[in-house]
Each structure stands twice: as structure tokens, then as C-alpha cells.
């Protein structure tokens, strides 16, 4: 079993839709949870991160962590064609190491 | 602000040839540095990380090596490339919680 599981998609939605992207994980020691956006042939860009459980909102993006279920989500409201990209979740343990464990990414396509 | 550079952007090399990819970071001191490889549909694989000059940790056995000759310079090398070394190579640095990636080098071994 992989430490982090993510549906590869592709996920295709119309402009304006609410998008839900998800990851599950198995390591209960993970404390920091991140979402990256990667456009084709570019490096990943850190969108947002959360510590432990709860929600965090940044504009149209909301990150949610449910540690009891080992499940994290990224919601995108009012999706735009410019949101079309691959979204990777990443997580790490608290402590001296800052090594991240990544999901394989979900490809999202928002069509006009 | 911090900036990370990688070059070259694209590289096509024959099997058995050497490799040298370079990464430099500006605007920060003593960063942790990372090399990743991203193969299609397989996510990001951590290859090496470094917490300081001359300090390299290898995550997977392979024919690649890394060096950090200066505080903000990280180099990925190989003496003889294999077909399986093809992929998208990403350098990253970290500060606080997240890691921040460079633009990447797309390597095709023929």
C-alpha cells in the first residue's frame, strides 16, 4: 500500500463548477498537508498548506484535513479554464525531517 | 524574494553519455535542497537531498549522484546514462513547511 493515494483522473468539469480533489494516506504521523498545482511541463507550485486537522481558505481554494479518516481535500470554487492543471497532494511528519511524500497527482480540465 | 534556477531546460542525450544538471537558488542562505525525478504517471520521486555544503543523502540506489559545492548550488550527475534515466528532473529548496520547485529539466535518453 502506498503511503499516499490520489486518483489520477482526468477530472473534466465545466467552467464555474466546484471541484473536489482528494488524497488518502496511511501514516498517522503526518502533520503537515500541502497542495501543489503543476501546469504542463512546469515545476509544481505550492498552493497552500495546513497543519493537523481543519480547514484553510485562500480565495477560491479551500483545503480540508480529516485526520481521523486520514483524508485530505482541496476544493476549488468557481473553477476557471486557467485552473486546468495537475494537482498534487503532499504531506510530511512533524520533526527534524522535512521530506515530503507526494501523491501521484490528479489531472483537472476545466472547459469553457 | 527567493528564486530557483535550473538548466538546461531540455536535454537529449545518448545512452552511456555523462550528465550534469545544475540548480542554483537566490535570495536565501543555507537552504535544504532536493533533486526529484518525475516520470509520467508515477509522481515525484525524491533522489537526493542536502542540508548543507558537501552533505548529500541518497534516497534510492541508482547510477546518479549529487554534489553541493556551494551553499546555493546543487548538481545532479551521472557517468553513464541509462534509458530509464529519462524523465523530468526538478530541483527544490525548502524553508518552513513547504518546498519550492524550479522550472525543471526534461531529459530524454535515446
Amino acid at each position: 500500500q502506498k503511503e499516499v493515494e490520489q486518483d489520477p483522473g482526468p477530472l473534466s468539469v465545466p467552467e464555474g463548477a466546484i471541484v473536489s480533489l482528494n488524497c488518502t494516506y496511511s501514516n498517522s504521523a503526518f502533520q503537515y498537508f500541502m497542495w501543489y498545482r503543476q501546469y504542463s511541463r512546469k515545476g509544481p507550485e505550492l498552493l497552500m498548506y495546513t497543519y493537523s486537522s481543519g480547514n484553510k481558505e485562500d480565495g477560491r481554494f479551500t483545503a480540508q484535513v480529516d485526520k481521523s479518516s486520514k483524508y485530505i481535500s482541496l476544493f476549488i470554487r468557481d473553477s476557471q479554464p486557467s485552473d486546468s492543471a495537475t494537482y498534487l497532494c503532499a504531506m510530511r511528519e512533524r520533526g527534524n525531517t522535512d521530506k515530503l511524500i507526494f501523491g501521484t497527482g490528479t489531472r483537472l480540465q476545466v472547459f469553457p | 524574494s527567493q528564486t530557483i534556477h535550473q538548466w538546461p531546460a531540455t536535454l537529449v542525450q545518448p545512452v552511456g553519455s555523462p550528465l550534469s544538471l545544475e540548480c542554483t537558488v537566490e535570495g536565501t542562505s543555507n537552504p535544504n535542497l532536493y533533486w526529484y525525478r518525475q516520470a509520467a504517471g508515477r509522481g515525484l520521486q525524491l533522489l537526493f537531498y542536502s542540508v548543507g555544503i558537501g552533505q548529500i543523502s541518497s534516497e534510492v540506489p541508482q547510477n546518479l549522484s549529487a554534489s553541493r559545492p556551494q551553499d546555493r548550488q546543487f548538481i545532479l550527475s551521472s557517468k553513464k546514462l541509462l534509458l530509464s534515466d529519462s524523465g523530468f528532473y526538478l530541483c527544490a529548496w525548502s524553508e518552513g513547511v513547504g518546498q519550492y520547485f524550479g522550472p525543471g529539466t526534461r531529459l530524454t535518453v535515446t
Side-chain angles (χ1 to χ4, degrees), chain A residues 99, chain B residues 35 45-49 57-62:
Chain A
K99 287 188 285 184
Chain B
W35 277 112
Q45 180 187 31
L46 179 62
L47 302 175
F48 301 94
Y49 71 95
S57 295
S58 173
E59 288 296 302
V60 291
Q62 59 212 332

Side-chain angles (χ1 to χ4, degrees), chain B residues 7-88:
Chain B
W7 64 90
T10 306
L11 193 59
V12 180
Q13 292 283 94
V15 168
S17 63
L19 174 74
S20 180
L21 303 181
E22 190 164 342
C23 169
T24 58
V25 183
E26 296 177 356
T28 185
S29 296
N30 196 30
N32 288 352
L33 297 173
Y34 309 82
W35 277 112
Y36 288 88
R37 178 168 58 205
Q38 188 176 36
R42 297 184 64 182
L44 285 161
Q45 180 187 31
L46 179 62
L47 302 175
F48 301 94
Y49 71 95
S50 171
V51 298
I53 295 174
Q55 300 178 64
I56 310 294
S57 295
S58 173
E59 288 296 302
V60 291
Q62 59 212 332
N63 69 320
L64 299 172
S65 62
S67 63
R68 186 170 176 175
Q70 299 180 45
D71 180 42
R72 288 170 287 178
Q73 184 184 29
F74 205 20
I75 297 171
L76 183 69
S77 304
S78 174
K79 292 182 179 177
K80 288 185 177 181
L81 284 168
L82 307 173
L83 282 174
S84 58
D85 291 324
S86 293
F88 191 41

Side-chain angles (χ1 to χ4, degrees), chain A residues 72-92:
Chain A
I72 69 171
S73 300
L74 177 71
F75 298 96
I76 306 174
R77 291 184 299 281
D78 187 25
S79 56
Q80 304 294 310
S82 58
D83 295 327
S84 298
T86 296
Y87 290 80
L88 301 105
C89 63
M91 44 201 81
R92 55 165 274 218

Side-chain angles (χ1 to χ4, degrees), chain A residues 36 38 41 43-44 98-99, chain B residues 32 34 38 59 94 99 102 106:
Chain A
Y36 285 82
Q38 185 175 22
R41 297 182 172 269
D98 60 356
K99 287 188 285 184
Chain B
N32 288 352
Y34 309 82
Q38 188 176 36
E59 288 296 302
S94 69
Q99 291 180 15
R106 188 159 303 278

Side-chain angles (χ1 to χ4, degrees), chain A residues 6-7 11-13 17-23 35 60 62 64 71-77 79 87 106-108:
Chain A
Q6 187 175 9
D7 188 327
L11 182 61
S12 186
V13 301
I18 297 174
V19 175
S20 173
L21 303 164
N22 311 293
C23 289
W35 285 97
R60 296 185 296 111
T62 299
Q64 193 172 76
Y71 190 87
I72 69 171
S73 300
L74 177 71
F75 298 96
I76 306 174
R77 291 184 299 281
S79 56
Y87 290 80
T106 299
R107 189 156 62 91
L108 171 67

